[in-house]
């Protein structure tokens, strides 16, 4: 009578194949998640731009985060928000990855927007980053 089951060698081969596949897939998954979390900065800045436009429609200048009722954190919490420059005619808002957060090593780094739309200048995320 022959016994059924897997031999130790077969189990070790299967485990080795699974380990190799995991080693290949895990870094790619990390990059995919990092790219997906960029939408937090983009969505937050676009919502902030809309709130600024509504504020500017009622007031003579652009608002601070506090005046708009915003916390200094993005909608999902991966970025810190700031309004660096503001006047009666313009504002610049930035989304910077949280220190020790999952986005801190992202190549796109700081996203910025003004009253016209995304700022695609040196020092801020480029158009490829805004495309997610």
């Amino acid at each position: 009578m022959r016994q059924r089951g897997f031999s130790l060698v077969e189990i070790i081969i299967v485990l080795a194949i699974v380990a190799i596949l995991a080693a290949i897939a895990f870094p790619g998954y990390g990059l995919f998640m990092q790219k997906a979390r960029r939408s937090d900065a983009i969505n937050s800045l676009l919502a902030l731009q809309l709130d600024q436009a509504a504020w500017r429609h009622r007031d003579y200048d652009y608002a601070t985060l506090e005046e708009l009722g915003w916390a200094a954190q993005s909608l999902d919490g991966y970025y810190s928000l700031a309004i660096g420059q503001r006047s009666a005619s313009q504002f610049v808002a930035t989304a910077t990855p949280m220190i020790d957060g999952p986005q801190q090593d992202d190549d796109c780094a700081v996203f910025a927007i003004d009253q016209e739309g995304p700022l695609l200048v040196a020092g801020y995320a480029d158009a490829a980053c805004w495309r997610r």
Side-chain angles (χ1 to χ4, degrees):
M1 179 183 263
R2 189 160 193 233
Q3 290 195 4
R4 295 178 147 185
F6 298 106
S7 71
L8 182 60
V9 172
E10 291 171 328
I11 292 174
I12 290 174
I13 290 172
V14 168
L15 289 175
I17 291 171
V18 169
I20 290 169
L21 290 175
I24 292 170
F26 188 72
Y29 177 74
L31 291 174
F32 171 77
M33 289 304 297
Q34 195 172 56
K35 187 175 178 182
R37 285 188 293 261
R38 290 177 190 160
S39 65
D40 179 33
I42 294 167
N43 293 338
S44 297
L45 288 175
L46 290 174
L48 184 60
Q49 182 189 34
L50 287 173
D51 285 353
Q52 284 284 31
W55 178 277
R56 180 69 175 85
H57 182 71
R58 296 185 312 267
D59 206 320
Y60 66 92
D61 66 351
Y62 287 104
T64 64
L65 286 174
E66 295 78 23
E67 289 173 329
L68 293 172
W70 279 71
Q73 193 172 28
S74 61
L75 299 172
D76 293 332
Y78 297 115
Y79 292 83
S80 60
L81 299 177
I83 297 177
Q85 303 170 9
R86 68 182 188 90
S87 68
S89 61
Q90 65 182 10
F91 76 93
V92 174
T94 58
T96 306
M98 297 292 274
I99 297 171
D100 295 331
Q103 292 300 99
Q104 73 177 355
D105 296 327
D106 188 11
D107 292 338
C108 290
V110 179
F111 286 81
I113 199 166
D114 64 8
Q115 68 284 349
E116 302 293 325
L119 287 178
L120 305 175
V121 297
Y124 297 126
D126 61 15
C129 293
W130 278 88
R131 284 191 291 271
R132 302 177 208 182

